[in-house]
Amino acid sequence: QVQLVESGGGLVQPGGSLRLSCEVSGASISINNMGWYRQAPGKQRELVAGIRRAGSAIYADSVKGRFTISRDYAKNTVYLQMISLKPEDTAVYYCNGFHDSGSDYAYWGQGTQVTVSS
């Protein structure tokens, strides 16, 4: 049984920073590709950052240079460090694993709300 618990979201001003955490139970992040996704109201969910088992990372063009995905194997936790936040980053952020083909797993947590506003 896989459980994903996202946390760390909140209200920040433009230009601010947040670090999101994804605590994973029932699966090891060390043997899974992991990603951070976000979904804004009225928009489709998008992958913003991903890290493969071997460690290579990818980022959406909209966040590249501002977001960094990382892992803590001891805590079985995936992080998303976000800096220079913009209002358009406002969304619910989710973590999930994804297959080598790129398709995501069927397990989704509750997500964590990130709101960037002055």
Side-chain angles (χ1 to χ4, degrees):
Q1 184 175 348
V2 177
Q3 184 176 18
L4 306 167
V5 181
E6 300 95 339
S7 62
L11 174 64
V12 297
Q13 295 183 342
S17 301
L18 282 174
R19 189 179 76 157
L20 307 183
S21 298
C22 173
E23 299 179 351
V24 181
S25 300
S28 175
I29 64 171
S30 67
I31 59 172
N32 286 277
N33 309 311
M34 296 298 298
W36 281 97
Y37 305 76
R38 69 185 182 188
Q39 186 168 27
K43 297 183 179 180
Q44 63 183 12
R45 184 177 59 233
E46 63 173 338
L47 177 70
V48 297
I51 186 165
R52 292 192 174 274
R53 291 182 296 274
S56 61
I58 59 172
Y59 299 94
D61 288 341
S62 59
V63 307
K64 191 172 184 178
R66 300 188 298 116
F67 290 12
T68 303
I69 187 170
S70 62
R71 299 170 293 190
D72 186 329
Y73 294 130
K75 296 181 178 180
N76 208 41
T77 297
V78 184
Y79 301 97
L80 184 67
Q81 179 67 55
M82 306 183 293
I83 65 171
S84 301
L85 284 162
K86 304 175 181 179
E88 50 263 46
D89 294 320
T90 296
V92 178
Y93 285 72
Y94 303 87
C95 68
N96 204 357
F98 61 93
H99 299 282
D100 290 339
S101 64
S103 61
D104 48 47
Y105 292 171
Y107 308 98
W108 294 96
Q110 83 287 353
T112 185
Q113 176 72 49
V114 172
T115 302
V116 185
S117 176
S118 60

